[in-house]
Amino acid sequence: MQAYDPAPLYAGHLHTLAKRADIALERGGFDHLVVPSGTLRHQVFDDREYAYAVNPQFKAWVPLTRTPGSWITYTPGQRPKLIYLQPRDYWHVVPQAPGGWWADHFDVIVIRSPEDALPHLPPSSRSAILGEAQSALGDYAPNNPAAVLAFLDFHRAFKTPYEIAMMRAASAIGAQAHRAAEAAFRQGLSEFDIHMAYCAAARQDANELPYGNIIALNEHGAVLHYMELDRDAPPVARSFLIDAGASHGGYACDITRTFSRDRGDEFQSLVDAVDTAQQVLCAKVRQGVDYRQLHLEAHTLLARILCDFGVVKVSPEAAVATGVSATFFPHGLGHGIGLQVHDVAGFAASDTGGTIPRPDGHPFLRLTRTLVPGMVVTIEPGLYFIDMLLEELRAGPQAGSVDWARVDAFRPYGGIRIEDDVACTDDMPLNLTREAFSAA
Ligand code: GLY
Ligand code: MN
Ligand code: MN
C-alpha cells in the first residue's frame, strides 16, 4: 500500500479539480460550485433508511463516503470549503472530525444539524449546485446545470495520479479478496460462503463494496448478473466465475476471474484461451485507440477461440458478421471506472455535449470514446453458454454454424469472464489488476 500513498498526490488532484471547476463554471455562467454529499432516505412506510450512497461529485473532492449532510463549496481563486455535518446524536456513531492529509487543504466548518449549512452556502442564483433533489435545504436546491455537468463528467474520465493511486489501493484489496474466494471455491464452499470469505478478506461488507458481488458456480456462470448467492454448495462445483470489486476512499476496482475445479480439463483450457485473448486486448489500451474498435476486435478473438475449440464451425469473421459471436459474448467489452464502477460519460463526444453512438448491433457497449492517457477502463471479454440465447440461435438461420454437441459439453460450466482494470498512459498500459495480483 505504501507504494501507492495518495497523500503527496492530493494537492495536485485538487489543483486539477479546481482548474476543471473554473472552466465548468465559466461555461455555465456561474460563480460558485456547490456539491452536497447527499442525504439518508427512509424506506417507504418505515423508519429504516436505505443504504447511504455518497454523491460522486462530492467524493471526487474528498475521500469521504459516509458523511451525509455535508457540502463542498468552491469559488474560483479561493480555497475550497468543506461544510461538515457532525450531528449531535447519541443513537449513532457520528463521523469523526475531519483530519489527516486531505483535510488541511480545506477551510473546514463543522455543523451540528443539516440546516446549519445554509448560512455558509453561496447564493443559489450564482451557484452550480450538483446533487440529487433530496439534498435541497428548503429553496436551496440542486440545479445541475447541463453545461457544468457535461464538462466535469467528460473530464472525470482522465484520472489524476492521486486517483490512480486510490484505484491501485482498491485493486490491492480486491486481489487479496479474490485469492481468498478462490481458496473457498476449492474447499467446496457454497456461493454464499465464498461471498462471506471474500468480504472477510476485503474487510468490506456488501454496502461498502462498489457493486454487488457475482459469485457463480457451475451453470450460474451463464447468468451475466447472477447475484443469488446459493446457501447450499452444489454436489460438485465444476466451475467458478467471480466478479467482485473493492472500494478505497470512494474509488472502485472491478475484477472478474473464472476457474475450473479440474486444472487440467478442457474448460480450464477454454478459460486460459480467453485469458490470453484478454491480455492481447489489455495491451491495446493505448492513446488514440477507439474503444469501439477494441470491442469489435474482442468479438473476432473470441470467435477464433470458439472455432479452435470446435464450438463454431464457420470462420471467426463469418461468426462475427452473422451475429453468432454475440450469442456467446452478449455484453460490451467494458467501461470506464473510477469513482463509479461504471464511470459517467462513456459516450460523451466532447466536454460540451454530444454522443458517440455504439456500433450497430452492439447495444450493450458502455464506452465509445477514444482512449487518452489517464483513462482507466475495464477489459472484460467473456464466453457464455446461455440457454435463452442458444435456443434463439438454434431456431434461426445460423444454427448450422455451431456444433451443438460441443455446446452441450460446455453448458454445465456456465461461462467465462476475465476482467481487469487498465490505465491508459503515455506509454505501456498499466494493468492495475494484474499488478495487484502479482503483489497479493
Ligand atoms: N461488475 C460489473 C461489471 O463488470 O461491469
Ligand atoms: Mn466491469
Ligand atoms: Mn465486473
Side-chain angles (χ1 to χ4, degrees), residues 84-102:
Y84 186 87
L85 177 61
Q86 200 183 22
R88 287 176 58 75
D89 175 353
Y90 60 86
W91 293 93
H92 305 99
V93 173
V94 301
Q96 291 200 337
W101 50 266
W102 61 269

Side-chain angles (χ1 to χ4, degrees), residues 28-220:
F30 294 95
D31 298 330
H32 315 277
L33 185 72
V34 178
V35 187
S37 66
T39 55
L40 288 162
R41 190 153 51 113
H42 280 122
Q43 297 177 21
V44 66
F45 304 133
D46 206 324
D47 65 356
R48 289 181 307 152
E49 284 145 348
Y50 287 110
Y52 169 69
V54 63
N55 177 357
Q57 303 281 358
F58 181 87
K59 63 176 173 167
W61 288 82
V62 279
L64 295 177
T65 57
R66 300 165 78 152
T67 57
S70 298
W71 300 69
I72 297 281
T73 70
Y74 169 73
T75 303
Q78 298 181 15
R79 261 159 75 88
K81 202 190 304 182
L82 171 63
I83 302 164
Y84 186 87
L85 177 61
Q86 200 183 22
R88 287 176 58 75
D89 175 353
Y90 60 86
W91 293 93
H92 305 99
V93 173
V94 301
Q96 291 200 337
W101 50 266
W102 61 269
D104 299 341
H105 298 270
F106 289 82
D107 288 338
V108 178
I109 298 160
V110 174
I111 55 174
R112 297 298 181 191
S113 69
E115 311 71 55
D116 293 348
L118 265 176
H120 303 288
L121 297 172
S124 60
S125 60
R126 301 302 316 140
S127 300
I129 308 169
L130 311 183
E132 57 189 342
Q134 71 194 47
S135 293
L137 290 175
D139 294 339
Y140 201 97
N143 51 7
N144 295 323
V148 175
L149 281 174
F151 188 87
L152 295 181
D153 286 353
F154 182 84
H155 288 276
R156 208 207 283 167
F158 314 126
K159 272 59 187 177
T160 63
Y162 160 81
E163 292 182 298
I164 298 286
M166 296 297 268
M167 295 181 74
R168 280 178 141 157
S171 301
I173 300 166
Q176 206 169 354
H178 268 259
R179 291 255 191 261
E182 184 193 352
F185 157 64
R186 298 211 181 274
Q187 281 168 40
L189 299 193
S190 71
E191 292 167 347
F192 182 81
D193 289 320
I194 296 171
H195 168 71
M196 297 308 278
Y198 183 94
C199 290
R203 315 301 296 155
Q204 295 185 8
D205 71 12
N207 285 335
E208 296 165 295
L209 296 175
Y211 56 90
N213 278 354
I214 295 168
I215 307 271
L217 296 173
N218 300 340
E219 290 88 346
H220 295 160

Side-chain angles (χ1 to χ4, degrees), residues 240-298:
F240 175 38
L241 187 157
I242 169 166
D243 182 345
S247 305
H248 181 74
Y251 289 85
C253 72
D254 181 6
I255 302 174
T256 309
R257 290 292 182 265
T258 310
F259 307 95
S260 192
R261 182 184 59 134
D262 178 350
R263 291 185 168 93
D265 72 2
E266 199 174 23
F267 183 68
Q268 186 61 54
S269 301
L270 192 59
V271 172
D272 293 343
V274 174
D275 189 85
T276 301
Q278 193 260 6
Q279 291 197 59
V280 168
L281 295 163
C282 288
K284 295 189 176 193
V285 174
R286 304 293 289 248
Q287 175 161 21
V289 169
D290 182 341
Y291 194 84
R292 293 174 299 181
Q293 194 54 40
L294 219 48
H295 170 79
L296 297 175
E297 282 184 47

Side-chain angles (χ1 to χ4, degrees), residues 211 214 225 243 254 256 335 341-342 366 378 380 417 419:
Y211 56 90
I214 295 168
H225 280 172
D243 182 345
D254 181 6
T256 309
H335 47 86
V341 66
H342 298 152
R366 286 195 174 102
T378 69
E380 49 180 305
R417 180 163 62 258
E419 175 175 27

